[in-house]
């Protein structure tokens, strides 16, 4: 029985050593012998593993929050101005703009561009809203029945989306919650819009819906109504508009689609992406990238320093073992690989727990929104998160590669250990 058991153990060890490499096999044996670790080594290695776990978690959370924040703000800005705007090249500085006929032949070509979801007409006109004793200035945005209301449908506080048709002008107006509160208005109330022109004109509209996006500088500025009112006020024709808005399905393709749009439209029209229309907001969002880069660099340095310290402790504790391996003919590189494999296993465990904690916390925030924000300052009422599998994989791979490469330097200490010194040290 004993001979069979010995034979099985020998066979397992032999084939394990052949299938894997010798260094990895010895490293696995070292890892499995937890009792061999000294009383000082155990807590230090645990601290090292904890530091790596926290570093990975912080990096994943930072990236998820950054991408979530950028995505949410971009979605809100695009909800007001679409992704791409097309206007006449000769358009003057007036908010009314230059009118042109909506029945342009290139519209059909725009709709055929891959990634374009909708092409919708619009016109804007400044107005003053009066309700009892309160007045507020707004920019009335006129749209037609082809307008994509998906974004505002999600942001409705009460009421419904305006309903338009080709036969008659609609008196519906969509107002923001901020404007409604300032003017002390509620759903189904009538509002009077005054337009400063010669002669001055007025329109009476009914609040059909109230929305809230959280972008205060937009919410307090825009109101939405039938484009037919602006056409009448400006003495335009029934088919006259001030421009087109284009919605796309993937914001990452914005620049590419904008180039295709520019090539499609005539020379007397110009196209602008939402980044060009509101450059200050996107410049502010891009600044957040630098903050995350700083966090990633700091966390990577922390992980590397902790791992180097842990590896040095492991080497010093196993000095006698190193001397024994060298006395049996093991090269310096072979012994270094054994300890690097050992250190990589510690990095791997730390990364595993870091991923569990970081992704788990992001998932809880995504579903329950338990971390709140001041919407007036941050444009969102909670911390938005967006988990990108490719970015998560990239962070893990980069951390593992950097930590492994950094361990090559402290492992040089092994080359200074000789069998005679190791025996004396023990």
């Amino acid at each position: 029985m004993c001979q069979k058991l010995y034979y099985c153990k020998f066979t397992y060890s032999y084939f394990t050593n052949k299938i894997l490499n010798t260094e990895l096999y010895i490293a696995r044996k070292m890892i499995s012998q937890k009792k061999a670790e000294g009383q000082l080594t155990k807590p230090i290695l645990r601290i090292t593993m904890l530091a790596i776990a926290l570093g990975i978690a912080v990096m994943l959370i930072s990236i998820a929050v950054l991408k979530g924040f950028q995505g949410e703000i971009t979605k809100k800005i695009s909800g007001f101005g679409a992704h791409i705007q097309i206007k006449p090249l000769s358009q003057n500085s007036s908010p009314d703009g230059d009118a042109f006929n909506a029945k342009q032949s290139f519209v059909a070509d725009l709709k055929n561009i891959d990634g374009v979801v909708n092409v919708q007409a619009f016109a804007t006109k400044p107005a003053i809203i009066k309700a009892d004793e309160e007045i507020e200035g707004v920019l009335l945005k006129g749209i037609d029945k082809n307008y994509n209301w998906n974004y505002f449908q999600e942001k409705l506080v009460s009421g419904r989306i305006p309903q338009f048709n080709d036969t008659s002008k609609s008196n519906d107006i969509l107002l923001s919650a901020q404007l409604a509160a300032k003017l002390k208005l509620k759903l189904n109330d009538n509002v009077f819009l005054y337009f400063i022109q010669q002669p001055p004109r007025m329109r009476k509209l009914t609040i059909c819906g109230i929305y809230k996006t959280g972008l205060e500088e937009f919410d307090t500025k825009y109101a939405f109504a039938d484009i037919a009112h602006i056409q009448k006020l400006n003495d335009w024709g029934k088919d006259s508009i001030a421009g087109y808005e284009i919605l796309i399905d993937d914001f990452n393709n914005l620049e590419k689609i904008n180039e295709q749009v520019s090539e499609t439209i005539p020379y007397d029209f110009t196209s602008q992406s939402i980044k060009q229309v509101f450059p200050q907001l996107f410049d502010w969002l891009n600044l957040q990238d630098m903050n995350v880069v700083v966090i990633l660099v700091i966390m990577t340095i922390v992980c590397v320093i902790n791992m180097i310290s842990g590896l040095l402790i492991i080497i010093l504790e196993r000095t006698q073992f190193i001397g024994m391996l060298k006395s049996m003919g093991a090269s310096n590189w072979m012994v270094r690989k054994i300890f690097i494999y050992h250190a990589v296993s510690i990095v791997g465990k730390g990364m595993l727990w870091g991923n569990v904690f970081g992704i788990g916390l992001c998932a809880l925030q995504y579903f329950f929104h338990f971390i709140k924000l001041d919407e007036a300052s941050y444009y969102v009422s909670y911390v938005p998160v967006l988990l990108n599998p490719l970015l998560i994989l990239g962070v893990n791979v980069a951390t593992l590669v950097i930590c492994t490469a950094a361990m090559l330097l402290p492992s040089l200490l092994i080359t200074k250990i000789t069998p005679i010194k190791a025996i004396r040290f023990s």
Side-chain angles (χ1 to χ4, degrees):
M1 183 67 180
C2 292
Q3 289 180 345
K4 289 183 178 180
L5 182 61
Y6 175 80
Y7 177 76
C8 290
K9 287 184 176 179
F10 174 79
T11 304
Y12 172 77
S13 299
Y14 176 79
F15 281 105
T16 303
N17 196 15
K18 290 297 181 181
I19 295 173
L20 304 175
N21 57 62
T22 304
E23 297 87 347
L24 182 58
Y25 175 73
I26 297 174
R28 290 178 61 185
K29 287 295 183 182
M30 288 173 56
I31 296 168
S32 63
Q33 294 175 353
K34 296 182 179 179
K35 292 183 179 179
E37 295 178 354
Q39 295 299 318
L40 179 62
T41 308
K42 286 182 180 180
I44 292 178
L45 292 182
R46 287 174 182 171
I47 292 173
T48 299
M49 193 182 301
L50 178 62
I52 293 172
L54 288 176
I56 287 290
V58 170
M59 285 190 279
L60 293 179
I61 292 171
S62 299
I63 292 175
V65 170
L66 170 69
K67 294 303 178 182
F69 191 74
Q70 289 180 334
E72 190 66 24
I73 300 301
T74 298
K75 182 180 177 182
K76 289 187 175 186
I77 299 173
S78 301
F80 280 96
H83 296 107
I84 300 172
Q85 288 187 2
I86 299 175
K87 295 180 180 180
L89 189 61
S90 60
Q91 191 168 64
N92 57 48
S93 59
S94 169
D96 295 347
D98 291 336
F100 65 93
N101 195 294
K103 296 179 180 180
Q104 299 289 329
S105 58
F106 63 80
V107 174
D109 297 327
L110 293 175
K111 293 180 179 179
N112 290 328
I113 295 176
D114 188 27
V116 171
V117 175
N118 192 39
V119 180
Q120 54 201 28
F122 78 96
T124 57
K125 190 172 184 65
I128 296 175
I129 295 183
K130 184 179 184 300
D132 295 333
E133 301 301 322
E134 303 291 336
I135 60 171
E136 285 289 336
V138 298
L139 186 63
L140 185 67
K141 185 171 183 177
I143 61 266
D144 59 18
K145 65 177 184 178
N146 296 318
Y147 191 79
N148 189 313
W149 290 106
N150 290 344
Y151 174 74
F152 285 97
Q153 191 72 53
E154 298 174 0
K155 302 301 179 182
L156 274 182
V157 176
S158 59
R160 58 173 175 80
I161 293 299
Q163 297 176 350
F164 306 138
N165 56 64
D166 295 330
T167 57
S168 61
K169 289 196 297 289
S170 171
N171 288 327
D172 290 343
I173 184 172
L174 183 67
L175 215 60
S176 70
Q178 286 88 337
L179 280 174
K182 287 181 179 180
L183 296 170
K184 300 178 182 179
L185 295 171
K186 60 183 183 299
L187 196 64
N188 298 322
D189 280 354
N190 293 325
V191 295
F192 296 92
L193 278 76
Y194 294 88
F195 299 90
I196 309 301
Q197 58 186 76
Q198 292 298 329
R201 297 183 182 182
M202 182 270 290
R203 288 293 184 274
K204 178 183 176 182
L205 304 178
T206 303
I207 301 175
C208 67
I210 297 176
Y211 72 90
K212 181 180 181 182
T213 67
L215 285 174
E216 187 173 352
E217 56 189 276
F218 287 89
D219 284 357
T220 56
K221 180 179 179 181
Y222 283 93
F224 298 83
D226 193 337
I227 194 173
H229 289 290
I230 296 179
Q231 291 169 341
K232 183 68 174 178
L233 289 164
N234 290 341
D235 297 323
W236 291 351
K238 185 178 179 181
D239 294 325
S240 297
I241 60 173
Y244 291 108
E245 292 180 337
I246 298 177
L247 298 179
I248 63 176
D249 57 1
D250 188 354
F251 191 81
N252 294 324
N253 296 328
L254 177 64
E255 301 303 331
K256 176 183 176 183
I257 295 177
N258 189 35
E259 289 181 6
Q260 292 180 282
V261 169
S262 298
E263 295 172 357
T264 303
I265 60 179
Y267 71 92
D268 53 344
F269 284 83
T270 180
S271 67
Q272 283 186 308
S273 69
I274 193 68
K275 291 183 178 180
Q276 295 170 319
V277 177
F278 302 106
Q280 67 282 0
L281 286 174
F282 284 95
D283 288 342
W284 172 67
L285 285 177
N286 291 333
L287 286 176
Q288 310 308 314
D289 290 333
M290 183 58 64
N291 296 335
V292 173
V293 170
V294 172
I295 293 174
L296 293 179
V297 172
I298 292 175
M299 290 298 101
T300 303
I301 293 174
V302 169
C303 291
V304 168
I305 292 175
N306 278 275
M307 200 58 251
I308 290 175
S309 303
L311 179 58
L312 289 174
I313 291 170
I314 295 173
I315 293 172
L316 292 174
E317 185 192 43
R318 304 273 184 167
T319 304
Q320 184 180 8
F321 177 68
I322 294 171
M324 183 186 69
L325 288 175
K326 286 190 174 185
S327 66
M328 295 173 65
S331 65
N332 284 324
W333 178 237
M334 178 181 176
V335 180
R336 288 174 68 188
K337 285 172 67 177
I338 292 172
F339 283 89
I340 289 174
Y341 283 142
H342 191 180
V344 168
S345 70
I346 297 173
V347 175
K349 291 177 182 177
M351 291 173 60
L352 175 62
W353 287 110
N355 277 272
V356 170
F357 179 75
I359 296 175
L361 186 62
C362 289
L364 289 174
Q365 175 64 18
Y366 180 83
F367 289 107
F368 299 106
H369 305 158
F370 60 91
I371 303 179
K372 304 295 183 181
L373 292 175
D374 179 14
E375 192 170 26
S377 302
Y378 296 96
Y379 304 126
V380 287
S381 58
Y382 60 88
V383 176
V385 293
L386 178 63
L387 290 170
N388 187 317
L390 291 178
L391 289 177
I392 293 174
L393 179 62
V395 168
N396 282 274
V397 171
T399 303
L400 182 61
V401 170
I402 292 172
C403 286
T404 303
M407 286 184 285
L408 293 174
L409 184 61
S411 67
L412 286 172
L413 179 63
I414 293 172
T415 63
K416 306 298 181 181
I417 299 176
T418 62
I420 296 176
K421 289 183 180 180
I423 294 172
R424 287 178 179 176
F425 181 80
S426 60

